[in-house]
Amino acid sequence: MNATRHWREQLQAWRIPEEVLAQAEDSPWVLPRHVFSRRADVLVAEPEGASFPAAWRALDPPGTVLDVGAGAGAASLPLAARSTLITAVDQDEGLLAEFRRRADALGVAAREVQGGWPEVATGVPPADVVVCHHVLYNVPDIVPFLTALTAHARRLVVVELAEAHPLTSLNELWLRFHGVVRPEGPTAGDAVAVLRELGIEPGVSRWRRGRSASAGHPDMATLADVTRRRLCLPRSRQEEVAEALREAGVTSEHDLGSSGDDIVTLTWTP
């Protein structure tokens, strides 16, 4: 499986050099929950892109939804009006609590499952539509992940990911602060190649996210702090990071290291 091996090797190349990681004062594996929560609120109010209409059409008649890597529910909660039950799977307890709060406000039946996919898959029932947004680049062992998505869908699987690996947005800063050249892949095209290797020919829709739905931070100080952590830099260098962001024209509406605005939606039937 050349495409599968290529995917795994490209993700393995993103490992942070040990000498850089050893200097970090804070963990570089930042999970800015406010970014996920804000995106969920924006998309519930005004869905956009190709992923929502694909899942919406598949929920006629209304049915159940499984959201893998759900976060605060940006992929599934916009579908609430046609959902008889939404099951959210995520490793982060705090984000699942944000999902539950929003599901209750929308009056949709919901269930949370804490854990990683596909490890928890055997305890999760199938659903009519399975959605999985901005998760694949965290999955080196992609074949069992995709296979479990497909096995849990009765009508449709909808996977959304950035066109390019989201961490590439930090590459210039890695070069500037550490002199380290970071990888460029994998890409959405590599994900398509893996699916084809599995005998799945997905529908592919490319689109660009509107600024209102982009991941955002409350202010530049928060963005600079998150970016500094991701770069394994000490707290004393936060102002240098902020200056580099300003020079690059980056605003607090961006979350470098999250997903970019060039998005790809992949759909397939089980």
Side-chain angles (χ1 to χ4, degrees):
M1 286 192 168
N2 293 332
T4 302
R5 183 173 63 250
H6 184 58
W7 177 274
R8 183 185 302 111
E9 290 173 349
Q10 287 188 99
L11 286 182
Q12 289 172 343
W14 282 100
R15 291 173 179 165
I16 296 173
E18 288 298 328
E19 63 273 16
V20 175
L21 189 59
Q23 300 172 21
E25 294 179 353
D26 305 286
S27 171
W29 317 120
V30 185
L31 184 69
R33 292 188 180 92
H34 55 270
V35 170
F36 295 92
S37 298
R38 178 178 181 270
R39 181 169 291 166
D41 290 337
V42 168
L43 293 177
V44 166
E46 189 175 353
E48 69 163 12
S51 304
F52 169 76
W56 183 259
R57 288 191 297 268
L59 288 169
D60 184 14
T64 55
V65 175
L66 170 60
D67 189 350
V68 174
S76 55
L77 291 179
L79 303 167
R82 285 191 177 178
S83 301
T84 56
L85 171 69
I86 299 176
T87 300
V89 176
D90 203 283
Q91 297 189 55
D92 189 83
E93 184 179 6
L95 284 175
L96 286 176
E98 291 294 312
F99 165 82
R100 165 57 69 175
R101 185 168 66 82
R102 287 164 174 78
D104 288 345
L106 290 168
V108 63
R111 175 189 178 213
E112 301 87 55
V113 177
Q114 185 177 1
W117 188 268
E119 292 77 18
V120 299
T122 55
V124 177
D128 293 306
V129 173
V130 173
V131 295
C132 179
H133 288 196
H134 302 286
V135 178
L136 282 195
Y137 290 123
N138 295 321
V139 185
D141 199 7
I142 192 172
V143 169
F145 188 96
L146 294 172
T147 300
L149 290 183
T150 306
H152 277 71
R154 297 191 191 97
R155 303 180 191 171
L156 189 69
V157 180
V158 182
V159 169
E160 182 177 299
L161 70 165
E163 178 72 59
H165 191 291
L167 289 179
T168 56
S169 59
L170 289 165
N171 282 7
E172 289 299 321
L173 294 177
W174 273 95
L175 191 60
R176 172 171 175 160
F177 287 102
H178 294 294
V180 172
V181 177
R182 299 293 275 158
E184 295 291 337
T187 66
D190 293 313
V192 172
V194 172
L195 285 166
R196 288 174 175 161
E197 206 166 67
L198 293 174
I200 297 170
E201 185 60 44
V204 180
S205 298
R206 286 179 164 82
W207 51 281
R208 186 164 178 82
R209 194 199 309 275
R211 177 52 50 204
S212 63
S214 295
H217 295 278
D219 49 48
M220 280 296 293
T222 304
L223 171 61
D225 181 61
V226 169
T227 305
R228 173 193 66 77
R229 291 168 182 255
R230 285 176 168 147
L231 292 170
C232 298
L233 292 170
R235 300 176 197 112
S236 61
R237 303 192 70 181
Q238 179 161 328
E239 184 50 43
E240 290 180 64
V241 174
E243 179 60 28
L245 293 172
R246 286 191 290 267
E247 289 178 8
V250 177
T251 71
S252 61
E253 289 298 302
H254 295 77
D255 178 48
L256 299 183
S258 182
S259 55
D261 292 335
D262 291 313
I263 308 299
V264 179
T265 296
L266 307 177
T267 57
W268 66 93
T269 54

